[in-house]
Amino acid sequence: MHLAQINVGRIRAPRDHPTIAGFMARLEPINALADASPGFVWRFVSDEADDATSVRPYPDDDLMLINFSVWESRQALWDFVYRSAHLEAMRRRREWFERMAESFQALWWVPEGHRPTVTEALDRLKCLQQQGSTPFSFTFREFFDSAAVADTTPERRAT
């Protein structure tokens, strides 16, 4: 099994606004760092660019951005997020992103070779927002081992 992650955020202004310039300038180098990181498997990109900033996960909100990727393990994702140059960008996220009222990141296990869709990733996030951490969708803090994935069918998570 591999570990998938989604995170969403609402930027403070359109992508071409000076307020967001610092974020946009870091996007390509941080994506390249992810691509080269040990344990990296895949990341979602739009058809138009090597990132996902043009994708609108919520059609009624042009400022919402989505990012999701797949990693070989929890440790590989953790090391990229918290032990690389990515951390400096995360520390500055309030400059570019509004504070989210509900969960903005979710993790889940996928079979090796699986590439999540936007719909699947948003479903995992929505489940976390509605039910909290479960084997279907969880966080770094409330983490579920891949052995728990057998309980993630829609029928089981509804109970």
Side-chain angles (χ1 to χ4, degrees), residues 95-150:
E95 293 176 35
W96 309 307
F97 290 87
E98 296 178 4
R99 182 174 293 278
M100 300 289 289
E102 50 192 358
S103 297
F104 60 89
Q105 181 186 49
L107 309 173
W108 71 99
W109 293 105
V110 297
E112 287 186 28
H114 178 70
R115 302 298 179 256
T117 65
V118 172
T119 301
E120 176 186 348
L122 290 173
D123 184 46
R124 299 293 177 140
L125 180 61
K126 183 177 179 182
C127 181
L128 179 70
Q129 292 168 339
Q130 293 176 342
Q131 300 180 22
S133 285
T134 67
F136 184 78
S137 183
F138 47 90
T139 66
F140 275 124
R141 183 172 287 148
E142 297 177 278
F143 193 81
F144 285 83
D145 189 84
S146 62
V149 85

Side-chain angles (χ1 to χ4, degrees), residues 48-67:
E48 299 136 26
D50 195 32
D51 63 51
T53 59
S54 65
V55 175
R56 292 294 157 264
Y58 303 97
D60 58 337
D61 191 343
D62 284 344
L63 298 180
M64 284 295 288
L65 300 184
I66 187 172
N67 173 49

Side-chain angles (χ1 to χ4, degrees), residues 28-47:
E28 186 177 331
I30 294 296
N31 284 340
L33 177 64
D35 294 350
S37 292
F40 171 82
V41 175
W42 171 87
R43 69 180 164 86
F44 175 73
V45 298
S46 73
D47 292 336

